[in-house]
């Protein structure tokens, strides 16, 4: 039986007295496009950092493709690609130099690294400023470059922390195309995003973390069925969410499911009288 | 006068600086940093006061002997220290980034004032200010009626130095930021060196055939010296002491002209910064139809793994794009040059290197080793958020540090070679025994620095900006440790050389250094074996420190 692409058991991370992530048990099967959602400060970035070796867990275990991340970090990292929160770019290199560097750090030979760097720069439409340093790139260009560096070695699993944040519609389209092609070829993608429409369109499975705890996990359909059943059961419960149920024949959107699961309704509108 | 809004902004900045300082001591590294800063400040103040007492005594002696004009010597030393130390010791200097203030409605006057206030928090400024106070007291004791005038003149001199220091930083930063001007500066620097090499044989010719003529020409330069800021300040005091108040006021007025001119030049730069100037090397977009891009292959570094070669290439590219670091690395040659030409000549006491030219190479090599501290002790400082890449990549930290040390070793070797050439040109080829002892000494000093540097790079990282002059200062803990290590290494080397001289053979020092080198390399390997574990333990701190805005 093929092992899970990502498997965590009781993954926990504390920062002093604050428990940022508590007993998270994630299961991501190979080939899944997995969206990891949660409100601000819920523990998404902390989790993805632990999954990619950027942060040590306080307790619990992480297995990537059946390998223990703590026991075998180099082998794990050889098979994954990461776009972390800060993008991990070297600001005073050019895009081509950085991709060349990234390729060789992942074990590619000089020729292959240069060839793939060329292809990636063209695919990401980053060829019109070949001598510009990364520090002079726009945010969207940096995001595309970070993504290119994360995939240059053809990873089996790709971890993306907010890949579409600050990216324009054209660049976003390019990235989505690339990610969908990767999924079609059997890769696993684990991403966090605040843009629920994108997650809904791209991801086959999602997990929702709230206040450090995993509150939902499964395919979109499983989640929808669960939420609808819960909503129907609590129709006469005055303490239940004030969000309306969908009309017959209409599906709950991911945003609606998300708001129901994290127990939120939109805040009542407040007036800031001094704001022009 | 500042508006109420500006005063509020300055108060807010003072408050935020205080809160940043207070919050920084919440963790162990912050507390160690604070202790090291207190320790260094104490050392600087003690050094400043110690030398201040000397300056007081010297000023008293000069004025009481009636040679007030000779105060120019003290003022020249102060001037050179004030201007050169921040540029030469960038590891200990700080040029604060004020660009983040531009998003607020800060008036230009406030912005300029903040720049000046940041400039005051500087080792050289603190020490030189103490010296000038000492000089004022010395003058006051020798000639009480001259003290108020001395205080005014020295205040203007101090103001000139503060403004000049800021102006030099601002303009050099501007020139170093662009490749074209950086290359022009490099060419000018070498022309400067070569021109002085031509002056030396000319002086020798004068000295051989017509010495009185040469003295006359040097004497004819003295009026020019009186037109420099230190000369003008000394003249203003000397003329006042001799009762020629009108001329004294004239000399002081000329000093103020300098202040005004420097202020104007500084104002040009600061105003550009205020308008949001970006000193980056942004390249133009490729115009017209898109050309086919072919990324060239990375460097082929023989006998090393792909990742080590990639890091080697990346490190050298970073170094090549860092004007301030390149500027720092030419300093050993400049120092030898200064010792050979600027500190010697007719009418001046010759420095020890001219009497003992064989010391030129070891002194230059020791200084070169000291300057590479900036690179070695904070290896991850320039990476910023890029350090995350190392943790995400399938490369062990041992390999990453070997690659970085490989580059640092190459830089040290090139520096030593450049120093050898400079020492040979300026002081004559060093004897073989001296060369061997020096190289053995470097072989012992380098691994000590590399081992300690690797350790501190992981334990006390600090984000530095390789591209901007004055933003290469390592953490206080690192600076303190590097000073300690340098003092220890140099101390052991000095004792070894002393013993060798007592034994009458410098080869003894070579042998001893090779033994020390073997021990030091052993320690280096031991540290290297532990770095993977240390890096994993310290990763959160490393990433958060280097990811700071």
């Amino acid at each position: 039986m093929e092992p899970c692409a990502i498997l965590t058991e009781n993954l926990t991370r504390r920062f002093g007295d604050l428990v940022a992530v508590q007993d998270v048990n994630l299961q991501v099967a190979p080939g899944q496009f997995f969206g990891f959602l949660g409100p601000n400060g819920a523990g998404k970035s902390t989790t993805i950092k632990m999954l990619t070796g950027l942060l040590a867990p306080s307790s619990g275990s992480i297995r990537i493709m059946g390998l223990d991340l703590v026991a075998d970090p180099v082998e794990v990292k050889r098979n994954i690609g990461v776009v972390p929160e800060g993008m991990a770019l070297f600001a005073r290199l050019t895009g081509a130099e950085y991709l060349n560097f990234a390729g060789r750090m992942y074990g590619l030979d000089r020729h292959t690294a240069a060839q793939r760097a060329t292809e990636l720069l063209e695919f990401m439409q980053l060829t019109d400023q070949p001598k510009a340093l990364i520090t002079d790139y726009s945010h969207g260009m940096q995001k595309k470059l970070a993504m290119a560096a994360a995939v240059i070695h053809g990873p089996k699993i790709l971890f993306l922390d907010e890949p579409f944040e600050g990216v324009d519609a054209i660049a976003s389209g390019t990235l989505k195309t690339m990610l969908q092609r990767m999924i079609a070829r059997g890769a696993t993608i684990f991403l966090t995003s605040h843009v629920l429409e994108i997650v809904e369109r791209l991801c086959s499975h999602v997990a929702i973390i709230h206040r450090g705890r995993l509150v939902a996990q499964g395919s979109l359909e499983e989640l929808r069925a669960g939420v609808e059943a819960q909503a129907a059961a609590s129709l006469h419960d005055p303490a239940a969410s004030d969000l309306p149920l969908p009309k017959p024949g209409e599906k709950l959107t991911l945003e609606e499911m998300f708001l129901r699961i994290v127990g939120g309704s939109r805040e009542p509108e407040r007036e800031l009288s001094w704001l022009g | 006068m500042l508006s109420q809004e500006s005063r509020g902004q300055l108060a807010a900045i003072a408050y935020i600086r205080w809160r940043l300082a207070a919050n920084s001591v919440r963790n162990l590294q912050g507390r160690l940093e604070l202790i090291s800063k207190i320790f260094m400040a104490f050392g600087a103040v003690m050094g400043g006061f110690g030398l201040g007492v000397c300056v007081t005594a010297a000023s008293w002696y000069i004025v009481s002997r009636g040679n007030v004009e000779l105060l120019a010597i003290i003022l020249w030393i102060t001037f050179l220290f004030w201007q050169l130390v921040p540029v030469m010791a960038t590891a200990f200097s700080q040029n604060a980034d004020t660009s983040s203030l531009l998003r607020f409605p800060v008036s230009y006057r406030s912005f300029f004032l903040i720049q000046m206030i940041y400039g005051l928090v500087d080792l050289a400024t603190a020490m030189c200010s103490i010296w000038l106070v000492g000089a004022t007291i010395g003058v006051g004791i020798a000639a009480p009626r001259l003290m108020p005038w001395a205080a005014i003149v020295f205040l203007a001199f101090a103001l000139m130095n503060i403004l000049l220091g800021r102006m030099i930083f601002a303009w050099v930063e501007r020139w170093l930021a662009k490749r074209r001007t950086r290359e022009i500066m490099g060419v000018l620097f070498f022309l400067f060196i070569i021109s002085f090499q031509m002056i030396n044989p000319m002086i020798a010719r004068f000295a051989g055939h017509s010495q009185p003529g040469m003295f006359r020409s040097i004497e004819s330069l003295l009026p020019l010296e009186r037109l420099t800021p230190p000369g003008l300040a000394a003249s203003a005091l000397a003329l006042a002491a001799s009762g020629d108040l009108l001329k004294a006021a004239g000399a002081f007025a000329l000093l103020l002209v300098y202040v005004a001119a420097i202020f104007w030049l500084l104002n040009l730069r600061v105003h550009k910064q205020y308008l949001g100037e970006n000193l980056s090397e942004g390249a133009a977009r490729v115009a017209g139809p898109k050309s086919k891009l072919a990324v060239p292959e990375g460097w082929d570094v023989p006998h090393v793994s792909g990742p080590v070669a990639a890091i080697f290439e990346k490190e050298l590219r970073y170094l090549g794009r860092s004007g301030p670091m390149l500027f720092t690395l030419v300093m050993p040659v400049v120092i030898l040059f200064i010792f050979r030409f600027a500190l010697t000549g007719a009418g001046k006491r010759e420095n020890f290197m001219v009497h003992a030219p064989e010391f030129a190479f070891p002194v230059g090599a020791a200084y070169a080793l000291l300057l590479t501290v900036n690179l070695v002790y904070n290896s991850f400082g320039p990476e910023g958020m890029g350090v995350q890449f190392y943790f995400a990549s399938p490369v062990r930290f041992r390999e990453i540090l070997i690659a970085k040390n490989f580059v640092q070793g190459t830089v040290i070797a090139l520096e030593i070679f450049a120093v050898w050439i400079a020492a040979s040109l300026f002081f004559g080829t060093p004897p073989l025994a001296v060369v061997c002892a020096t190289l053995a000494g470097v072989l012992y000093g380098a691994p000590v620095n590399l081992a300690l540097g690797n350790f501190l790079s992981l334990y006390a990282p600090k984000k530095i900006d390789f591209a901007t002059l004055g933003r290469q200062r390592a953490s206080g803990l690192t600076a303190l440790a590097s000073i300690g290590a340098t003092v220890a290494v140099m101390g052991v080397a000095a004792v070894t050389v002393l013993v060798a001289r007592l034994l009458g053979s410098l080869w003894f020092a070579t042998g001893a250094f090779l033994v020390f080198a073997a021990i030091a390399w052993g320690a280096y390997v031991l540290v290297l074996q532990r770095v993977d574990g240390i890096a994993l333990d310290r990763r959160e701190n490393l990433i958060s420190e280097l990811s700071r805005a």
Side-chain angles (χ1 to χ4, degrees):
Chain A
M1 193 180 126
E2 200 175 2
C4 278
I6 304 164
L7 179 70
T8 70
E9 282 178 7
N10 300 321
L11 189 64
T12 302
R13 173 66 210 202
R14 293 183 197 88
F15 295 101
D17 294 334
L18 174 78
V19 184
V21 173
Q22 190 166 13
D23 296 324
V24 166
N25 297 304
L26 272 172
Q27 275 189 26
V28 181
Q32 280 184 358
F33 203 137
F34 197 92
F36 192 52
L37 314 174
N40 290 332
K44 297 188 298 295
S45 289
T46 303
T47 306
I48 206 168
K49 280 180 190 164
M50 287 192 283
L51 294 178
T52 53
L54 296 176
L55 188 69
S58 302
S59 61
S61 69
I62 301 167
R63 297 189 81 80
I64 306 286
M65 296 170 59
L67 295 167
D68 189 310
L69 179 62
V70 177
D72 209 349
V74 173
E75 195 50 39
V76 168
K77 288 172 188 176
R78 203 164 275 142
N79 287 295
I80 66 172
V82 186
V83 179
E85 203 174 12
M87 290 191 275
L89 299 170
F90 290 102
R92 295 196 69 75
L93 294 180
T94 65
E97 287 165 359
Y98 179 64
L99 289 184
N100 237 332
F101 170 79
R104 297 183 77 192
M105 289 292 281
Y106 278 104
L108 301 181
D109 62 68
R110 289 165 57 227
H111 177 71
T112 311
Q115 197 178 26
R116 289 191 186 177
T118 306
E119 285 179 42
L120 281 164
L121 286 173
E122 279 170 0
F123 182 83
M124 297 287 187
Q125 294 156 16
L126 291 171
T127 52
D128 63 344
Q129 293 182 68
K131 289 185 179 170
L133 299 182
I134 295 170
T135 188
D136 297 325
Y137 276 22
S138 69
H139 182 80
M141 288 166 73
Q142 290 187 348
K143 210 93 196 193
K144 287 198 284 186
L145 187 68
M147 184 82 88
V151 300
I152 195 166
H153 57 299
K156 293 190 176 75
I157 305 175
L158 187 59
F159 290 93
L160 308 169
D161 196 352
E162 297 289 350
F164 303 104
E165 195 182 44
V167 177
D168 67 35
I170 302 167
S172 175
T174 308
L175 296 183
K176 277 185 246 172
T177 307
M178 191 191 79
L179 296 179
Q180 279 164 333
R181 282 184 195 166
M182 281 183 74
I183 287 291
R185 287 181 185 148
T188 307
I189 297 175
F190 183 97
L191 68 79
T192 71
S193 180
H194 282 113
V195 190
L196 298 179
E197 292 84 357
I198 291 179
V199 174
E200 190 167 17
R201 210 174 317 141
L202 289 176
C203 297
S204 57
H205 292 72
V206 294
I208 298 174
I209 188 169
H210 185 45
R211 293 179 182 152
R213 288 178 179 275
L214 207 59
V215 290
Q217 182 174 202
S219 70
L220 280 171
E221 288 313 313
E222 285 168 353
L223 240 65
R224 189 169 287 123
V227 169
E228 283 172 354
Q230 201 177 27
S234 61
L235 258 179
H236 306 292
D237 181 0
S241 171
D242 56 356
L243 290 165
L245 272 174
K247 290 171 189 159
E250 272 184 16
K251 276 184 175 179
L252 277 173
T253 64
L254 180 59
E255 185 179 348
E256 287 164 339
M257 289 191 278
F258 178 81
L259 288 172
R260 284 181 175 279
I261 288 169
V262 300
S265 58
R266 293 193 190 282
E267 288 282 307
E269 283 176 17
R270 286 183 190 158
E271 186 73 19
L272 297 172
S273 57
W274 43 265
L275 201 59
Chain B
M1 272 300 285
L2 289 171
S3 67
Q4 194 178 357
E5 185 186 48
S6 296
R7 286 200 301 275
Q9 286 165 342
L10 289 178
I13 291 167
Y15 173 76
I16 213 76
R17 301 289 297 184
W18 154 245
R19 286 314 310 160
L20 284 170
N23 292 343
S24 70
V25 295
R26 284 184 182 181
N27 58 22
L28 180 65
Q29 193 189 335
R31 286 192 282 275
L32 288 172
E33 182 78 20
L34 180 68
I35 292 168
S36 61
K37 272 183 185 164
I38 292 170
F39 196 77
M40 284 175 69
F42 181 75
V45 168
M46 285 298 105
F49 273 115
L51 290 168
V53 170
C54 298
V55 169
T56 307
S59 306
W60 166 80
Y61 182 78
I62 287 169
V63 176
S64 58
R65 290 271 168 156
N67 296 322
V68 183
E69 188 82 12
L70 290 181
L71 282 174
I73 297 169
I74 291 172
L75 295 176
W76 265 107
I77 293 169
T78 308
F79 175 75
L80 289 174
F81 189 90
W82 209 323
Q83 301 309 323
L84 287 180
V85 166
V87 179
M88 285 161 62
T90 48
F92 309 108
S93 323
Q94 181 76 327
N95 182 18
D97 182 10
T98 47
S99 59
S100 57
L101 296 174
L102 292 176
R103 68 176 184 274
F104 301 112
V106 175
S107 70
Y108 177 63
R109 190 185 288 185
S110 302
F111 184 75
F112 190 91
L113 193 64
I114 291 160
Q115 286 255 358
M116 290 304 102
I117 292 170
Y118 281 171
L120 288 175
V121 190
D122 181 66
L123 177 82
T125 305
M127 289 181 75
C128 292
S129 301
I130 293 170
W131 298 351
L132 287 180
V133 171
T136 311
I137 295 168
V139 171
I141 296 168
R145 67 180 178 82
L146 208 56
M147 192 174 174
W149 182 235
I152 292 168
V153 171
F154 289 153
L155 190 66
F157 183 68
L159 183 63
M160 187 280 302
N161 273 293
I162 291 168
L163 291 173
L164 183 63
R166 305 307 301 161
M167 190 204 81
I168 289 173
F169 260 83
W171 278 98
V172 171
E173 178 183 298
R174 170 77 183 78
W175 291 325
L176 291 180
K178 302 277 177 191
R179 199 178 64 202
R180 181 69 55 83
T181 45
R182 202 159 59 215
E183 285 164 359
I184 292 170
M185 276 192 81
V187 170
L188 286 177
F189 174 75
F190 283 106
L191 285 177
F192 181 64
I193 293 280
I194 290 165
S195 66
F196 267 87
Q197 284 176 46
M198 289 176 178
I199 287 170
N200 192 36
M202 280 169 63
I203 290 176
R205 255 183 62 192
F206 272 121
H209 301 293
S210 55
Q211 219 167 22
M214 188 192 75
F215 280 128
R216 266 200 302 278
S217 60
I218 287 170
E219 275 170 15
S220 68
L221 291 175
L222 280 178
L224 286 180
E225 189 276 334
R226 286 188 196 114
L227 291 176
T228 62
L232 282 170
S235 294
L237 288 172
L239 290 164
S242 64
D244 199 343
L245 295 180
L246 200 64
K247 282 188 177 173
F252 181 67
L254 274 178
L255 181 62
L256 292 182
V257 169
Y258 269 105
V259 174
I262 292 165
F263 177 84
W264 179 72
L265 284 169
L266 175 64
N267 185 51
L268 280 181
R269 291 290 320 127
V270 177
H271 197 250
K272 290 256 185 193
Q273 289 169 5
Y274 181 71
L275 293 177
E277 181 186 47
N278 174 22
L279 289 180
S280 63
E281 295 191 50
R285 283 173 196 275
V286 174
K290 278 186 183 168
S291 55
K292 187 87 179 161
L293 177 87
V295 174
E297 289 180 9
W299 296 358
D300 182 19
V301 186
H303 310 303
V304 297
S305 66
V308 171
I311 296 169
F312 184 85
E313 178 181 348
K314 178 246 152 202
E315 291 287 310
L316 284 182
R317 285 195 188 281
Y318 254 59
L319 200 57
R321 286 178 186 144
S322 169
M325 279 309 295
L326 293 176
F327 196 63
T328 303
L329 292 176
V330 297
M331 277 302 158
V333 174
V334 174
I335 284 294
L336 287 180
F337 165 78
I338 288 172
F339 269 102
R340 179 64 188 94
F341 297 107
L343 300 181
T344 61
K348 291 181 184 174
R349 275 184 62 191
E350 293 197 332
N351 67 72
F352 82 101
M353 265 199 220
V354 175
H355 289 298
E358 69 271 19
F359 278 112
F361 180 52
V363 167
Y367 185 52
L369 207 56
L370 180 67
L371 284 184
T372 49
V373 156
N374 229 6
L375 280 176
V376 176
Y377 279 65
N378 190 22
S379 289
F380 298 103
E383 323 278 31
M385 291 201 185
V387 76
Q388 291 181 102
F389 184 90
Y390 291 134
F391 285 103
S393 70
V395 182
R396 293 192 180 281
F397 258 75
R398 190 187 310 172
E399 221 173 334
I400 292 166
L401 279 167
I402 285 174
K404 283 177 172 277
N405 291 166
F406 186 22
V407 173
Q408 290 151 0
T410 306
V411 170
I412 291 172
L414 290 173
E415 281 278 290
I416 301 296
F417 183 60
V419 165
W420 179 78
I421 290 176
S424 302
L425 282 172
F426 301 155
F427 298 92
T429 311
L432 183 65
V434 171
V435 173
C436 289
T438 306
L439 293 181
V442 171
L443 270 180
Y444 136 70
V448 172
N449 272 344
L450 292 177
L452 197 57
N454 287 345
F455 197 69
L456 283 167
S457 294
L458 295 170
Y459 267 96
K462 187 173 176 225
K463 187 179 176 183
I464 56 173
D465 180 357
F466 248 22
T468 311
L469 197 69
R471 292 203 198 121
Q472 287 82 47
R473 189 165 73 172
S475 73
L477 183 64
T478 300
L480 199 62
S482 68
I483 291 171
T486 305
V487 168
V489 167
M490 299 296 172
V492 170
V495 170
T496 310
V497 170
L498 201 66
V499 172
R501 283 179 89 94
L502 287 174
L503 293 173
S505 170
L506 209 55
W507 292 104
F508 169 81
T510 307
F513 285 149
L514 288 176
V515 173
F516 298 156
I519 298 167
W521 281 110
Y524 170 78
V525 171
L526 279 179
V527 169
L528 213 52
Q529 282 170 349
R530 292 193 56 207
V531 292
D532 282 333
I534 297 172
L536 279 180
D537 287 347
R538 303 289 303 167
R539 66 186 141 181
E540 285 168 60
N541 180 59
L542 202 58
I543 292 171
S544 67
E545 276 296 322
L546 299 180
S547 302
R548 285 181 187 202

